[in-house]
Amino acid sequence: MATEVTVPTLGESITEATLGEWLKQPGDAVAADEPIASLETDKVSVEVPSPVAGTMGEHKVQPGDTVNVGAVIASIEAGDAAPKQAEAPAPASTTSPQEQAAGPAPAPTPSEPTAEAPANVDAAALSPSVRRAILEHGVDPATIKGSGKDGRITKDDVVAAASAKPAAPAPTPAPAATAAPATGGERLEERVRMTRLRQTIAKRLKEAQDTAALLTTFNDVDMTAVIEARAKYKELFEKKHGVKLGFMGFFVKAACMALKDIPSVNAQIDGDEIVYHDYADISVAVSAPQGLVVPVIRDADKMSVAQVEKTIGDFGRRAKDGSLKMEEMKGGTFTISNGGVFGSLMSTPIINPPQSAVLGLHRIEDRAVVVDGQVVVRPMMYLALSYDHRLIDGREAVTFLVALKNAIEDPTRILIDL
């Protein structure tokens, strides 16, 4: 008897999703509550669990199809998976004596990658983007340790493995007399449908540009004090709190202090009204395989640096394996985006509607600056505040950045709320 698998409830106001990939193929054994497929919604990827134990049956829809909540997408057959067929014996040789005397045919050269995974890797467990990355970088998936959920390989794992792979020795150039004339290679194009998450990101960012009067103000900050504090206390911090001390904890707390001083940066426009918040729910931009997601640190102004670091670390881990929940990305009064982890020197971030401002952090680099009349080298970072000029004036934006800069350059201010 077959049990139908339906699309689960995805959250408030969400009625449909896109099938991302099948995690189980027809004939595979599945356990109760084991993920068999992933769905992509406007904000997160959601795994569909098997309602019963048994054997994976027919796929009713294909990756990329749009499915409604409650729709049947597959079936689970009762009983264990069918045993795999024994390997068929090698067919008798049909070559002639002359062909046998000539020796075996040459083996295919390894320079032509195929789309199949090695025998010890389950190709069905690899998403299309991962398989494509494996072919592009020429790495063996059997040598990659997956960081995704249940040890699945992600695209980031493939890129990391490719960068760690030693460079192949340069081939010995052939004599000029025997070199073949260069010919133009085939030019290929690939069309990939945008994921639902990417479509939503594009829509919301364009909406922000069309609706808000966007402006960006810059400042820079000397990171010396924070770097010294982090180096001095990072071991004790990790031993006590079980999490590494990073820079985001300092910036989140400094931003919360500045938001209290400049409440309009923490406000939003709702029709003809301005909504002010007496709390700071900080959205932090986190990179995920499917795109950028923005989970929210609730009541960040009431948290310690350790609590902030634990929350951000948890968000980062769950963003990679797609287990963030819908409600964790709703709301938010102010956003911090750290492009510095990717090497960005300067940028003009776009606000996350209906919020009115976003803080962009960038890479830290040594620069020559003048301190007390002397040219010295200091670790500097550019800060960028993009804001809706309809609500936030330039004076308020500059005042916010200066308050943030003062708190980072003198972290004692964060402790005494000054």
Side-chain angles (χ1 to χ4, degrees), residues 227-308:
I227 291 175
E228 290 177 350
R230 181 170 178 263
K232 183 176 181 179
Y233 297 111
K234 64 179 181 180
E235 292 183 2
L236 291 174
F237 186 90
E238 185 173 3
K239 183 181 297 184
K240 179 176 180 179
H241 300 290
V243 65
K244 293 183 179 180
L245 177 60
F247 295 121
M248 281 295 288
F250 290 98
F251 277 102
V252 169
K253 295 302 296 180
C256 289
M257 292 174 52
L259 291 174
K260 288 182 180 180
D261 294 339
I262 314 296
S264 61
V265 180
N266 198 40
Q268 66 185 58
I269 295 176
D270 185 9
D272 295 331
E273 298 178 333
I274 299 175
V275 181
Y276 292 96
H277 307 100
D278 66 349
Y279 54 88
D281 285 352
I282 306 298
S283 304
V284 288
V286 178
S287 180
Q290 298 83 8
L292 198 69
V293 293
V294 192
V296 181
I297 306 174
R298 310 287 180 188
D299 294 317
D301 53 317
K302 300 176 183 177
M303 288 185 173
S304 65
V305 172
Q307 290 173 319
V308 170

Side-chain angles (χ1 to χ4, degrees), residues 65-85:
D65 290 351
T66 298
V67 291
N68 295 320
V69 172
V72 178
I73 59 174
S75 62
I76 302 296
E77 304 291 341
D80 298 330
K84 295 184 179 181
Q85 294 182 351

Side-chain angles (χ1 to χ4, degrees), residues 60-129:
K60 305 290 186 181
V61 295
Q62 299 301 318
D65 290 351
T66 298
V67 291
N68 295 320
V69 172
V72 178
I73 59 174
S75 62
I76 302 296
E77 304 291 341
D80 298 330
K84 295 184 179 181
Q85 294 182 351
E87 184 177 350
S93 173
T94 58
T95 57
S96 65
Q98 291 81 4
E99 291 172 327
Q100 294 179 6
T109 59
S111 61
E112 295 295 332
T114 65
E116 297 180 359
N120 59 341
V121 175
D122 184 3
L126 302 179
S127 67
S129 61

Side-chain angles (χ1 to χ4, degrees), residues 133-277:
I134 288 174
L135 293 179
E136 290 175 354
H137 295 283
V139 296
D140 182 357
T143 64
I144 303 175
K145 183 178 181 181
S147 64
K149 190 170 184 179
D150 298 327
R152 289 204 293 271
I153 298 174
T154 67
K155 185 177 179 181
D156 291 341
D157 296 332
V158 177
V159 174
S163 61
K165 185 174 66 172
T172 304
T178 61
T183 58
E186 182 181 1
R187 301 174 64 187
L188 302 178
E189 292 183 351
E190 181 183 11
R191 289 182 179 267
V192 180
R193 183 176 179 178
M194 292 175 68
T195 64
R196 184 173 294 271
L197 175 61
R198 177 54 59 184
Q199 293 179 43
T200 301
I201 292 172
K203 179 181 178 181
R204 287 177 61 82
L205 293 180
K206 185 58 181 173
E207 175 188 342
Q209 288 184 319
D210 292 341
T211 304
L214 291 179
L215 183 64
T216 303
T217 295
F218 298 93
N219 209 324
D220 61 3
V221 58
D222 185 345
M223 295 291 291
T224 300
V226 168
I227 291 175
E228 290 177 350
R230 181 170 178 263
K232 183 176 181 179
Y233 297 111
K234 64 179 181 180
E235 292 183 2
L236 291 174
F237 186 90
E238 185 173 3
K239 183 181 297 184
K240 179 176 180 179
H241 300 290
V243 65
K244 293 183 179 180
L245 177 60
F247 295 121
M248 281 295 288
F250 290 98
F251 277 102
V252 169
K253 295 302 296 180
C256 289
M257 292 174 52
L259 291 174
K260 288 182 180 180
D261 294 339
I262 314 296
S264 61
V265 180
N266 198 40
Q268 66 185 58
I269 295 176
D270 185 9
D272 295 331
E273 298 178 333
I274 299 175
V275 181
Y276 292 96
H277 307 100

Side-chain angles (χ1 to χ4, degrees), residues 13-84:
S13 75
I14 298 180
T15 60
E16 63 179 21
T18 300
L19 181 68
E21 61 177 318
W22 285 107
L23 306 179
K24 292 290 184 178
Q25 299 301 316
D28 290 349
V30 294
D33 296 326
E34 183 180 5
I36 61 172
S38 67
L39 299 175
E40 295 177 354
T41 69
D42 292 349
K43 293 182 179 292
V44 293
S45 292
V46 179
E47 291 185 335
V48 180
S50 172
V52 295
T55 304
M56 189 70 201
E58 178 187 1
H59 293 168
K60 305 290 186 181
V61 295
Q62 299 301 318
D65 290 351
T66 298
V67 291
N68 295 320
V69 172
V72 178
I73 59 174
S75 62
I76 302 296
E77 304 291 341
D80 298 330
K84 295 184 179 181

